[in-house]
Every structure is written in C-alpha cells, then in structure tokens.
Amino acid sequence: MASEPTARPPAEASTQPGVERPALNWSKWFRCETSFSLLLVPDQPGIYAVAEEVLTPGESASAGGKRLLAVVQFAETDNLARALSRLFTPASPLQKRIAGGHCLLRYAVVEDEAARRTACAALQTWLAASAEMVASAPQPRLGKRELEPPALPAGF
C-alpha cells in the first residue's frame, strides 16, 4: 500500500524583532476528489491551502519515488466551506487539477479579519519566494540543500 505524501513540518514562530505571527490551528491534509470531501469543512472564516501531490524530480512511482506536496495556492475567505466548494466549479482555475485526484486541501479557521489577511499575505509571500527561487536556479547543478524553499511562516 502506498504511503501518504509528506509535507514539511510547521515552521517556528517568526524570529524577526517586532513581528508576531500566531500559530494557526491547521486541519490535517485531506484528499479532495469530489465536493463530498468537504462535508466537515466549517462555515467559518479562514485560510486554506491547495497542494498537488508530486514525485521527487527524476523519480517514478514504480521505482518507489518519494511523494511530496507542492503548494499551488493559499487564499483567505469569510466562508471556508463555500470557498472550497467553488474549487470544484468549471469557473475555478484549479478545477482540472482537482478533478485529476492529485490535490489535497488544508484549512485553518481564523475569525479575526486582520489576522487572517496578515497570515495569508505571509503565506503568499512565502509561496512567491519559493517559486521565484526554483525558477531562477540553474536546474542541472542543484544539490538537495539548494532546492529547499525558505522556511514556512509560523503555524503552517
């Protein structure tokens, strides 16, 4: 039986002076194959993450390649259940990826709007920095340490 994909452990609280980022209480990753996967998502405000299951570059599933999660989107919303349900509609840019059955979701309820926006902005910044680092790196010569993205914001 195949093992579940691995994700990086949550980052520690910010070490920047004067910046306090509370840890968020994230749900576990769950596979989203149909909208029925969302039955337990609360009708509350929060942040969510969409990730796609991928194999380690250069490896195949038949050769026992390590499965990873590549985060493709962070977003904040005033209603998690409604926002996540919209991911399954044809209007969603992620609908085809999700329909492929390789996507997982995770969410955190964040009632305070300012805290929600701040946390989501930090996660968006991390995602952009990670994508920029990978895109600008010369691919053939990279070692494992050079491919690691910056540490995630606190609580993820």
Side-chain angles (χ1 to χ4, degrees):
M1 172 142 194
S3 62
E4 282 301 308
T6 59
R8 291 187 125 186
E12 296 301 316
S14 174
T15 57
Q16 297 174 352
V19 177
E20 189 173 320
R21 293 187 189 138
L24 301 174
N25 187 18
W26 287 93
S27 69
K28 292 184 179 195
W29 287 105
F30 61 95
R31 193 167 297 282
C32 58
E33 296 165 338
T34 68
S35 59
F36 290 113
S37 307
L38 307 176
L39 290 175
L40 298 178
V41 175
D43 287 331
Q44 293 180 289
I47 300 170
Y48 65 90
V50 180
E52 190 168 23
E53 189 175 43
V54 296
L55 289 173
T56 305
E59 296 186 20
S60 68
S62 60
K66 185 175 181 179
R67 298 183 310 165
L68 304 170
L69 291 179
V71 176
V72 294
Q73 179 182 17
F74 287 109
E76 59 102 7
T77 180
D78 61 348
N79 188 310
L80 286 164
R82 191 174 2 171
L84 292 176
S85 293
R86 286 185 190 137
L87 293 175
F88 290 89
T89 66
S92 169
L94 296 176
Q95 192 266 340
K96 286 186 180 182
R97 278 181 159 171
I98 289 173
H102 298 287
C103 287
L104 288 95
L105 295 173
R106 149 181 247 195
Y107 63 88
V109 173
V110 183
E111 297 282 345
D112 181 74
E113 184 177 357
R116 189 170 62 242
R117 288 193 177 167
T118 300
C120 190
L123 291 166
Q124 294 284 14
T125 300
W126 172 83
L127 187 60
S130 296
E132 184 179 305
M133 184 190 72
V134 170
S136 67
Q139 297 298 323
R141 297 184 197 155
L142 289 178
K144 183 178 177 183
R145 296 293 288 159
E146 295 171 285
L147 284 174
E148 291 182 11
L152 281 166
F156 191 74

